[in-house]
Amino acid sequence: MRAFFTHLRNIDRGIVTTAGLLSIFGLSSLYSSSIGLENFGNFQKQAIFLIIGIFLMLGISYVDWRLLRNDPYFLFILWIIGVFALAGLFVLAPEIRGVKGWYKIGGISIDPIEYMKIVLLVLMAKYFSLRHIEMYRIRHILLSGVYFGIPILLIFLQPNLGSAALLSILWVVLLVISGIKPRHFLVLLIMGGLLFSFGWGVLLQDYQKDRIISFLEPELDPLGIGWSQVQSRIAIGNGGVFGQGFGQGTQTQYGFLSEPQTDFIFAAIAEEFGLLGVILLLVLFLTLLYKMFKIGLNATSNFPRLFVAGFTILFILQLFVNVGMNLGLLPIIGLPLPLVSYGGSSLLALYAGLGVLLSIKVHS
């Protein structure tokens, strides 16, 4: 126990503090939107998950990250568990809004996708770090594609286009960082374009097409498929510089803003806390990203560098896409604002990833 408390004195308290402040920011917005919904269940569950997440982060940070790199079977077993968890959704998960994406246990929903994101990052950090001088070999690209491709296919079939696209982009970026040849990268881009063209005609559901169309032309159906992004932009504009005040946002409190606790929590924050609140939120994000980037720069081997790069990219992608959705710059694909949006699975996965980062900082 004394060793653990000594460890706590050595961790990067800047990461712990910044991540905690972002989550508290999210909790305050959840509480406010719960007033309008007259239901504080999500706020209470998120508060509990936050406490669990912080302890999970600190616990993982105490374990030497080299154990993940050196064990030949542990990461593969975690990957297999994730694949079975994703496959089990088709049998065991209830259908919610046409998607089988969550296990329901009492009043709690469990999303295995968030678990799989972190497992893939650690697994690929190990795989690429051992083969970084051989990334010109096509078999390494193909095998890494199998590790990513099976979960991506299962996620796409739920159907969950947003998370499938996120993991696809993450795989390609990790390949680029690991040093694949430019011509291999070009081939991947061409294949991605062909798959998208095929998917639009054959695989995409009508509601997924509607989301892309509403992004391109929201004014075509402002009371239908374009409603969410139109109301999001109105909410952001209502906030002005100082915001309408805690619990006073008209779009948020009167139900005009859809999903103010998940997809559109950024708009809810902008409406009630204004431009100043948004600036504070973005400063916290940039501070956390700077801390991550610094850990990656100071890493002494390829495994921690690749994990930090992958986790930072994952974080940036989710931040960029969520804010872009709220501003009407990107289609709605259901990605949460990291550490802020409601969602216990996402929160725990991100804090677990931060725990690995802290372990890299302390044990390197």
Side-chain angles (χ1 to χ4, degrees):
M1 185 62 70
R2 181 178 297 176
F4 180 72
F5 284 110
T6 301
H7 163 76
L8 292 182
R9 289 197 292 269
N10 295 326
I11 65 173
D12 190 327
R13 286 187 287 273
I15 285 182
V16 177
T17 302
T18 308
L21 288 174
L22 282 167
S23 295
I24 291 172
F25 214 135
L27 277 176
S28 65
S29 182
L30 282 175
Y31 186 90
S32 174
S33 57
S34 296
I35 297 173
L37 295 172
E38 298 182 345
N39 183 347
F40 292 87
N42 287 349
F43 168 79
Q44 294 166 351
K45 286 187 284 188
Q46 189 79 345
I48 293 171
F49 280 122
L50 174 57
I51 294 171
I52 296 172
I54 290 173
F55 279 104
L56 179 65
M57 173 181 63
L58 297 177
I60 292 175
S61 72
Y62 183 66
V63 179
D64 194 330
W65 60 270
R66 294 177 184 86
L67 295 175
L68 295 173
R69 182 191 63 185
N70 297 336
D71 192 303
Y73 304 111
F74 180 63
L75 291 178
F76 183 70
I77 291 172
L78 292 181
W79 181 82
I80 290 292
I81 292 172
V83 169
F84 275 101
L86 289 171
L89 290 170
F90 296 100
V91 179
L92 302 175
E95 187 171 308
I96 301 174
R97 299 178 185 175
V99 177
K100 289 192 171 187
W102 302 271
Y103 291 102
K104 295 287 288 185
I105 302 177
I108 298 175
S109 299
I110 299 175
D111 182 1
I113 294 175
E114 303 300 331
Y115 160 86
M116 200 62 178
K117 290 175 185 176
I118 303 302
V119 169
L120 282 170
L121 283 176
V122 180
L123 182 62
M124 288 299 99
K126 177 177 180 176
Y127 184 82
F128 290 141
S129 66
L130 295 175
R131 298 165 179 84
H132 67 283
I133 61 174
E134 297 181 350
M135 286 308 297
Y136 64 89
R137 297 182 185 274
I138 194 69
R139 72 168 183 264
H140 296 316
I141 299 175
L142 293 177
L143 186 54
S144 68
V146 171
Y147 282 125
F148 265 93
I150 293 174
I152 288 172
L153 178 61
L154 292 171
I155 292 167
F156 183 82
L157 293 176
Q158 289 182 4
N160 186 335
L161 177 62
S163 294
L166 177 71
L167 287 181
S168 300
I169 295 171
L170 186 61
W171 173 56
V172 173
V173 172
L174 285 174
L175 285 172
V176 172
I177 293 173
S178 300
I180 65 167
K181 290 185 176 181
R183 67 171 181 268
H184 292 159
F185 175 64
L186 182 60
V187 169
L188 289 175
L189 289 182
I190 294 172
M191 289 178 61
L194 293 174
L195 283 173
F196 179 80
S197 299
F198 173 76
W200 182 270
V202 178
L203 299 177
L204 290 185
Q205 303 289 326
D206 288 339
Y207 80 91
Q208 292 171 325
K209 294 179 182 179
D210 287 344
R211 287 181 173 182
I212 296 173
I213 293 171
S214 70
F215 154 65
L216 296 173
E217 295 288 347
E219 290 79 10
L220 289 178
D221 189 8
L223 298 180
I225 59 176
W227 169 268
S228 296
Q229 287 189 320
V230 170
Q231 297 305 315
S232 175
R233 291 202 294 269
I234 292 174
I236 293 171
N238 285 348
V241 176
F242 300 103
Q244 294 192 339
F246 182 77
Q248 301 300 315
T250 52
Q251 298 295 111
T252 303
Q253 299 299 325
Y254 296 120
F256 293 104
L257 182 64
S258 59
E259 307 298 340
Q261 299 186 338
T262 51
D263 292 357
F264 292 99
I265 194 170
F266 179 83
I269 289 171
E271 182 178 39
E272 297 198 340
F273 297 98
L275 177 63
L276 294 180
V278 169
I279 290 174
L280 175 59
L281 184 71
L282 294 179
V283 166
L284 289 173
F285 274 122
L286 290 174
T287 302
L288 184 58
L289 289 170
Y290 168 75
K291 292 283 188 180
M292 295 180 191
F293 184 71
K294 192 174 179 181
I295 291 175
L297 284 179
N298 294 332
T300 56
S301 62
N302 286 324
F303 177 90
R305 287 194 196 105
L306 286 169
F307 177 81
V308 174
F311 186 76
T312 304
I313 291 164
L314 175 67
F315 204 94
I316 291 172
L317 283 173
Q318 293 193 176
L319 171 62
F320 177 76
V321 170
N322 184 273
V323 174
M325 288 181 348
N326 279 255
L327 295 175
L329 301 176
L330 292 172
I332 303 169
I333 56 175
L335 292 181
L337 190 62
L339 298 175
V340 178
S341 290
Y342 169 71
S345 299
S346 174
L347 194 68
L348 292 179
L350 289 172
Y351 272 109
L354 289 173
V356 177
L357 258 70
L358 292 174
S359 175
I360 292 170
K361 173 72 179 296
V362 173
H363 297 290
S364 295

